[in-house]
Amino acid sequence: MPSAKTLTISYKNDDNWFPQVAPQLKATFDEDSLSFDNEIGKGNFYRVDIDLGLRVRKIEVVFHKTVIFKRKSTKNPGYYVLVSNLSEQYLETETGQQQFNLGYGSENGLYFSSPLLTASYTFQPGIHYHLIFIILSHERIRNFITRQPETQQALLLSFVDKNRPVYHVECLDVNALNLLKEIDKHLHGDRGNNLLIHARTLELCYHTLQRVEKRQGNTQSIEIHRDDVLKLNEIRRSLLDSYQESCPPISEAAQRATMSPTKFKTLFKQMFGHSYYQFYKNVRMHKARELLLVEKMNVSEVGYLLGYNNLSKFTRAFKHVFSVTPGRLNGP
């Protein structure tokens, strides 16, 4: 009978990642793959070093107990990690004081983390997880950014400033999803098309940096107090839980957060990357996508469930987020 006790897998950055985690999982491994099938669970990990300072890792796993992968912080520049979850279930993720659910069915589909921050990923038992990690060295990402137009460099370089560590979460839009699907298709034990993996990985990195620029370019960051973080996360969670209801007005949400409407709007967008109302629209459309793909509901059922009496308005709202109509949606 498998033990119900939580297993914590600790590691530091990404150098020699397989040798660090394999003994803790009782796994066998070589340079390119790691596998195990024991009382802890069953899984296969693959990795490809596609260029100096740039590698990709794929994880497909089911655990028999709760397993937490915990990355320690490091004082040297280390490795930045871009994580995407292609599973149908959320992955519980924590960075510092921030907690969120990472998954294609949520508004947080891509997660980018500085090595100067601790990070943990909690895998629940009995769930099939399917993850893609893109790992970039500090030097690699700085070189990549400095090849962008000069007008963009200062902003993007601030994102990887070793004196100001940050994390970043973004919606997994249709462009990023398609790139990840191609990477995933060729990342396996038989060593697929590394040139294609390389090209799609660079394209995804560029796409993510564009999203960073769009998010941060028109706003000036201000310091957020820990109490404000907790209050804003409460508002965020209430929006996730009430996707079928009308969006509460900003004045009501600001009052709940004990902030002025102006402060609330500024901090909400700074924390979550979208305005309050756009965030709510994204929540509803991601839930609609989940209902279409996972629950196999038809377009009319989903539209009416979300309160759209006019299905053409639902179609337009869905296409605005995913660049495809709900009737033509493909599975992940």
Side-chain angles (χ1 to χ4, degrees):
M1 185 78 177
S3 171
K5 186 177 179 180
T6 298
L7 173 65
T8 299
I9 308 292
S10 298
Y11 62 97
K12 219 175 188 182
N13 272 315
D14 197 75
D15 287 320
N16 302 312
W17 194 80
F18 280 3
Q20 290 178 74
V21 304
Q24 300 176 75
L25 290 172
K26 302 179 183 178
T28 60
F29 71 98
D30 56 28
E31 185 177 351
D32 304 314
S33 64
L34 178 153
S35 63
F36 61 99
D37 186 357
N38 53 38
E39 71 278 7
I40 297 172
K42 181 177 181 179
N44 293 290
F45 299 1
Y46 306 109
R47 83 170 191 181
V48 174
D49 292 331
I50 54 179
D51 204 355
L52 183 64
L54 177 63
R55 63 187 66 138
V56 184
R57 186 165 62 242
K58 174 179 177 177
I59 295 178
E60 289 194 273
V61 66
V62 178
F63 288 113
H64 300 321
K65 61 174 74 176
T66 301
V67 176
I68 300 173
F69 283 78
K70 189 166 186 178
R71 187 192 72 188
K72 301 176 182 178
S73 63
T74 180
K75 293 182 179 180
N76 62 53
Y79 286 85
Y80 291 79
V81 182
L82 177 63
V83 185
S84 57
N85 179 12
L86 298 179
S87 314
E88 292 185 358
Q89 295 82 10
Y90 298 128
L91 177 67
E92 298 174 32
T93 309
E94 180 177 336
T95 298
Q97 298 175 349
Q98 296 293 327
Q99 297 180 353
F100 54 91
N101 293 325
L102 176 67
Y104 81 81
S106 77
E107 80 289 354
N108 297 322
L110 289 171
Y111 164 88
F112 187 84
S113 173
S114 164
L116 296 172
L117 298 168
T118 59
S120 66
Y121 311 98
T122 301
F123 294 77
Q124 298 297 341
I127 294 176
H128 177 262
Y129 289 98
H130 184 177
L131 310 170
I132 301 292
F133 288 69
I134 296 174
I135 301 101
L136 304 100
S137 69
H138 183 266
E139 181 179 2
R140 173 78 193 208
I141 197 168
R142 282 184 62 89
N143 289 341
F144 182 75
I145 290 172
T146 54
R147 292 198 296 271
Q148 307 312 313
E150 189 173 347
T151 54
Q152 300 173 314
Q153 289 180 18
L155 172 66
L156 295 176
L157 285 171
S158 70
F159 186 57
V160 291
D161 184 351
K162 65 180 181 179
N163 296 316
R164 188 172 177 265
V166 297
Y167 76 98
H168 184 81
V169 289
E170 280 287 358
C171 161
L172 186 60
D173 61 17
V174 69
N175 293 329
L177 184 60
N178 288 337
L179 291 169
L180 285 163
K181 283 181 180 180
E182 284 203 74
I183 293 170
D184 179 62
K185 180 179 178 181
H186 292 273
L187 190 57
H188 48 71
D190 295 330
R191 298 299 298 274
N193 187 334
N194 284 11
L195 182 60
L196 185 144
I197 293 174
H198 190 165
R200 295 297 178 262
T201 299
L202 290 178
E203 192 174 350
L204 182 61
C205 291
Y206 177 70
H207 178 71
T208 303
L209 288 174
Q210 283 185 310
R211 299 289 294 273
V212 172
E213 183 188 23
K214 184 177 180 181
R215 173 193 272 211
Q216 298 182 350
N218 297 322
T219 61
Q220 185 174 1
S221 297
I222 60 176
E223 186 175 353
I224 305 179
H225 191 274
R226 183 177 182 275
D227 289 343
D228 291 336
V229 170
L230 296 175
K231 292 170 185 175
L232 288 169
N233 272 322
E234 288 178 5
I235 299 296
R236 171 186 174 276
R237 172 49 54 189
S238 69
L239 293 179
L240 293 172
D241 292 340
S242 58
Y243 65 90
Q244 290 180 256
E245 303 172 10
S246 299
C247 184
I250 284 180
S251 57
E252 180 181 323
Q255 187 176 25
R256 284 184 57 193
T258 62
M259 301 178 191
S260 69
T262 299
K263 179 181 178 180
F264 176 81
K265 288 190 290 185
T266 300
L267 294 187
F268 191 95
K269 186 169 185 179
Q270 183 171 320
M271 274 192 64
F272 304 122
H274 301 281
S275 70
Y276 174 72
Y277 289 118
Q278 185 59 53
F279 180 92
Y280 182 68
K281 290 178 183 177
N282 287 348
V283 167
R284 283 163 60 81
M285 292 305 105
H286 277 83
K287 185 61 181 180
R289 183 176 185 273
E290 179 185 343
L291 294 171
L292 290 165
L293 291 175
V294 180
E295 303 298 328
K296 305 301 181 184
M297 296 174 65
N298 64 45
V299 175
S300 297
E301 290 174 325
V302 174
Y304 288 128
L305 180 65
L306 296 182
Y308 285 91
N309 294 321
N310 186 330
L311 287 182
S312 64
K313 289 185 178 180
F314 169 58
T315 297
R316 286 197 297 271
F318 191 93
K319 188 175 181 180
H320 179 74
V321 174
F322 294 110
S323 302
V324 64
T325 62
R328 298 183 60 187
L329 187 65
N330 293 320

